[in-house]
Amino acid sequence: MDRLPAALERAGNEQSWAVADAISRVLKNSEELHSWRRHLLSACMKGLVAVYSSTKDESKREVERFMLLRLEDLLSVVEDVDPDDWCSLVKTGLKYRYRDETFLKMLNIAIQLLYKKESSLSQ
């Protein structure tokens, strides 16, 4: 379980995300759930940065869309984001996907979620 977030950072790991979902269901009413989701959020951001940095071709677009949806879901339940992960995602995403509608929609949603008054990034 400790190595799973690192495995999730690699693109194309849908099976690992299925395992992560199963672990999240097991931890549903646990105190560890929030920490687990933070690890998943960090892994998702790092995975997207890796996808954006490694390729400009269309072959990874489905993986990218899957991870963007996953990121949006995680951001809706985890409001405290590692600032370094967030900065890296925004910079790399804008560098390589500044014209991509799906990325820009996710970025807009993420900004709304993260920069509300209660958020750690808005302080």
Side-chain angles (χ1 to χ4, degrees):
M1 186 168 124
D2 294 334
R3 293 188 298 234
L4 184 59
L8 295 172
E9 293 174 19
R10 292 187 293 271
N13 258 337
E14 290 83 13
Q15 296 88 2
S16 296
W17 280 103
V19 172
D21 289 341
I23 292 171
S24 295
R25 285 191 296 277
V26 169
L27 296 174
K28 187 175 184 178
N29 296 320
S30 168
E31 294 176 9
E32 298 173 354
L33 181 60
H34 184 70
S35 175
W36 174 247
R37 285 179 173 163
R38 286 189 69 203
H39 288 297
L40 294 179
L41 179 61
S42 179
C44 188
M45 286 193 215
K46 289 175 182 174
L48 281 166
V49 168
V51 168
Y52 295 151
S53 299
S54 67
T55 182
K56 294 180 184 177
D57 66 25
E58 298 292 317
S59 66
K60 300 277 185 182
R61 288 295 188 162
E62 277 307 309
V63 172
E64 180 182 331
R65 288 188 197 339
F66 168 80
M67 292 181 75
L68 285 170
L69 291 172
R70 175 71 57 161
L71 179 64
E72 187 178 330
D73 290 342
L74 288 166
L75 284 172
S76 67
V77 293
V78 180
E79 295 179 350
D80 48 336
V81 174
D82 182 290
D84 292 333
D85 290 343
W86 173 245
C87 182
S88 181
L89 174 67
V90 171
K91 287 169 66 175
T92 308
L94 288 173
K95 181 177 180 179
Y96 294 106
R97 300 292 191 266
Y98 66 94
R99 292 184 178 176
D100 182 69
E101 183 178 354
T102 306
F103 169 76
L104 293 174
K105 283 181 180 179
M106 181 284 306
L107 184 61
N108 184 34
I109 291 167
I111 288 170
Q112 291 175 17
L113 290 170
L114 294 175
Y115 289 95
K116 58 187 176 185
K117 288 187 178 184
E118 305 89 46
S119 173
S120 62
L121 288 178
S122 66
Q123 299 172 356

